[in-house]
Amino acid sequence: CHIIQISAIRMAHNYMDGFCVLDEREWYIRPVETIPDKIVELTGITDEFLADKPAEAEIFGEIRDFFKDTAVVGYNNRRFDDLFMDEMYKRYGERFRPYLSLDMYPVSQTLVSPRDVKNYKLATIAAHFGLDGVMSHSTCGDVEAAMLLMERYAQTLMEREEKTGSMFPDYNAGVKMRV
């Protein structure tokens, strides 16, 4: 499978002001094959919409330059997005290896009690924190939701540490967090 849309927000963080957006990018990529009906239904992106968009080879360098020397934050990105990116990079003799890939999915499993949510899908967790308005099954909505969750989690962890002296939750969900 080939990527047909990539969205990314480059952010910086400082302790006083929190996160600030440095750059936002979105790429639509003309597919090499017909988009399956399930993907069209899920995303609303059609072959007709992508017909005049650049081919992957035309914009790969721009995408690579954007992600060069940066940390990647996403939701289930370690088991999904990063793999798609790596497949694209391999087609050009390279590897997608960010120096850090932080996945908000296992972080959610650690910070949100299973008693409070029915599952750990991005839409469910976003709704739990009142962020469901940003979700749209598009890469833009997913990126925005993941960034807002990252900000929320950073704030939660700092508040928890101030109150209790520890960032760890007081319940045991049976999930270990890896960073």
Side-chain angles (χ1 to χ4, degrees), residues 23-177:
D23 193 7
E24 293 183 60
R25 296 301 308 268
E26 182 174 40
W27 296 272
Y28 286 98
I29 303 169
R30 187 174 62 241
V32 295
E33 54 199 26
T34 302
I35 301 172
D37 292 340
K38 181 179 179 181
I39 301 301
V40 172
E41 184 180 320
L42 185 66
T43 65
I45 299 173
T46 64
D47 290 313
E48 294 77 24
F49 174 78
L50 295 173
D52 65 344
K53 304 302 184 232
E56 181 184 271
E58 295 174 63
I59 59 173
F60 172 72
E62 185 179 326
I63 293 167
R64 180 194 56 223
D65 292 347
F66 185 87
F67 286 97
K68 185 179 181 180
D69 300 327
T70 190
V72 174
V73 177
Y75 201 90
N76 201 28
N77 54 302
R78 304 240 339 150
R79 293 176 34 198
F80 190 80
D81 303 295
D82 290 0
L83 302 177
F84 273 87
M85 292 291 284
D86 194 41
E87 287 302 313
M88 179 176 59
Y89 275 58
K90 282 191 230 178
R91 287 191 284 276
Y92 302 95
E94 300 181 35
R95 298 300 302 265
F96 181 69
R97 296 288 184 249
Y99 76 83
L100 171 69
S101 182
L102 180 59
D103 191 339
M104 293 290 102
Y105 181 83
V107 175
S108 294
Q109 290 177 309
T110 301
L111 297 180
V112 178
S113 171
R115 295 181 301 262
D116 296 337
V117 292
K118 65 181 179 182
N119 59 50
Y120 287 95
K121 292 180 180 179
L122 179 55
T124 304
I125 298 299
H128 175 73
F129 286 105
L131 307 174
D132 45 340
V134 300
M135 297 300 300
S136 61
H137 271 299
S138 73
T139 61
C140 293
D142 290 354
V143 166
E144 187 176 353
M147 295 303 103
L148 291 170
L149 282 176
M150 181 181 66
E151 290 174 336
R152 181 70 52 97
Y153 290 160
Q155 180 183 0
T156 299
L157 290 170
M158 287 187 278
E159 288 170 0
R160 184 177 286 153
E161 186 175 38
E162 284 178 18
K163 274 186 184 173
T164 67
S166 173
M167 289 186 173
F168 296 102
D170 55 2
Y171 73 91
N172 182 358
V175 179
K176 295 182 181 178
M177 185 169 110

